[in-house]
Amino acid sequence: MTDKVTELVSKCLQARDLAYCPYSRFPVGAALLTADGAIVTGCNVENASYGLTVCAERTAVQRAVAEGHRQFTAIAVTCDIKDRFVGPCGACRQVLMEFGSNWTVYLTKPDGTYKETKLHELLPLPFSPEHLAKN
Ligand code: THU
């Protein structure tokens, strides 16, 4: 594991501890690695109007874009499930796809072990910005 992946995994675990999830009690943490080596984190932020909940991955993306980042090389995602690797929800896969298909998604367990996947494996045959450009 490279130092940068170690850091990314560690930051997503820390981000999970900041989750605001009083309704589901299901904390999720995410850490995005930008092309210039910055790390931007996110956690899930729930709402009393449940449908307004924002997932950890999307919190990280919104924050990163607002901070001027649009190129990403990896994201690490974690939750409290210890016995299997858990992937981002479908909505988050689509939001990640907005920024390219060929980047790495580290599905991370609470003990820091991870499974390395690619976004295009998690969301095959996607709808993406290039389809709009072809109209
Ligand atoms: N959640 C995420 O943050 N990311 C996902 O990819 C799946 C689900 C959050 C949303 C909600 O706060 C809680 O997990 C339970 O669904």
Side-chain angles (χ1 to χ4, degrees):
M1 169 162 26
T2 66
D3 285 352
K4 209 65 194 183
V5 177
T6 309
E7 190 185 349
L8 194 68
V9 161
S10 153
K11 291 259 172 79
C12 89
L13 291 165
Q14 288 171 26
R16 182 199 52 187
D17 293 338
L18 298 173
Y20 176 73
C21 53
Y23 308 107
S24 73
R25 303 202 180 280
F26 189 88
V28 182
L32 270 173
L33 180 61
T34 72
D36 55 5
I39 292 177
V40 182
T41 60
C43 58
N44 49 333
V45 182
E46 297 187 345
N47 191 275
S49 177
Y50 299 161
L52 300 183
T53 290
V54 182
C55 291
E57 300 89 326
R58 279 180 285 151
T59 302
V61 167
Q62 310 276 325
R63 187 178 180 187
V65 170
E67 290 176 4
H69 304 285
R70 293 184 183 183
Q71 290 187 300
F72 306 113
T73 56
I75 185 169
V77 185
T78 197
C79 61
D80 277 349
I81 294 175
K82 296 186 179 72
D83 61 350
R84 73 198 90 154
F85 295 105
V86 181
C89 79
C92 288
R93 293 178 198 207
Q94 179 66 32
V95 168
L96 297 175
M97 185 61 69
E98 183 69 18
F99 300 95
S101 65
N102 192 27
W103 47 301
T104 306
V105 183
Y106 295 102
L107 313 182
T108 307
K109 286 182 184 172
D111 66 1
T113 55
Y114 61 83
K115 178 181 171 67
E116 180 175 340
T117 63
K118 289 283 185 181
L119 185 55
H120 58 74
E121 294 174 54
L122 296 178
L123 187 60
L125 296 175
F127 182 75
S128 63
E130 67 184 60
H131 297 113
L132 295 179
K134 289 195 165 58
N135 274 330

